[in-house]
Amino acid sequence: MTNSRRQQAQADMGMNIQREEQQREKTLAREQQRQAEKEAKREELMNTAAYRVMDMTAKYMDKYFLDPLIGLLPGGVGDVLSSFLALPFIYFALVRVKSIPLTLAVICNILKDALLGSLPFFIGDVIDVFNRSYISNLKLITGYVNDDRAVIREVNRKAFWSAVLIVVLCVLIYFVVKWTIELADWFISLF
């Protein structure tokens, strides 16, 4: 009797428990489908050739110190080559993940590495030993793909300042390269 009174009162108030339950089930099914699609996309991204190239590049450039060794090539050739090896990270962030803030963060890390690596007299190469930009970029991308809320929040929060820093880093790289060339010309003129 209590149930029938409750049902009658709910019906009088316009509440329909069966309809609400059906709506809740539909919503739950949509959420589960969304999660399954997200997981499938995550698996697809992590199994691409581009991701494997990034993983291998990060391992060799930072863990096996190939970045500072390549930076030893004279005339800035090593730093340019090292920067070109970071292109898969930009491609993955921009084309595969389709995230402008993530791409800005990745480019910012690459330019910081290029600036530090271009410092003359092996200073940049010594700093490159400690600066792990490839591993940092791989962690950013992996965290973003794995839906790590802290990484996504941080990348999105810093997006504007990353764009500003990219411009500043490009200007600084220009002046460091110009200064290095002038220094090299002066050094050559001594002999």
Side-chain angles (χ1 to χ4, degrees), residues 142-159:
T142 303
Y144 210 90
V145 168
N146 286 332
D147 225 9
D148 183 342
R149 294 289 175 210
V151 170
I152 293 172
R153 190 176 332 110
E154 190 71 17
V155 165
N156 289 336
R157 188 177 64 80
K158 291 183 176 182

Side-chain angles (χ1 to χ4, degrees), residues 29 37 39 51 54 60 62 65 68 74 87 115-117 123 125 129 133 138 147 151-152 164-165 182 186:
E37 288 171 357
E39 184 62 33
Y51 187 83
M54 288 187 324
Y60 284 106
D62 284 342
F65 304 108
L87 288 177
L115 176 65
L116 293 173
I123 296 169
D125 299 316
V129 170
S133 67
L138 187 64
D147 225 9
V151 170
I152 293 172
V164 171
L165 190 56
E182 290 172 357
W186 174 79

Side-chain angles (χ1 to χ4, degrees), residues 1-13 15 17:
M1 179 122 172
T2 307
N3 270 346
S4 64
R5 271 195 239 159
R6 181 182 306 154
Q7 289 171 348
Q8 182 61 40
Q10 289 172 345
D12 290 344
M13 293 175 25
M15 297 173 64
I17 301 240

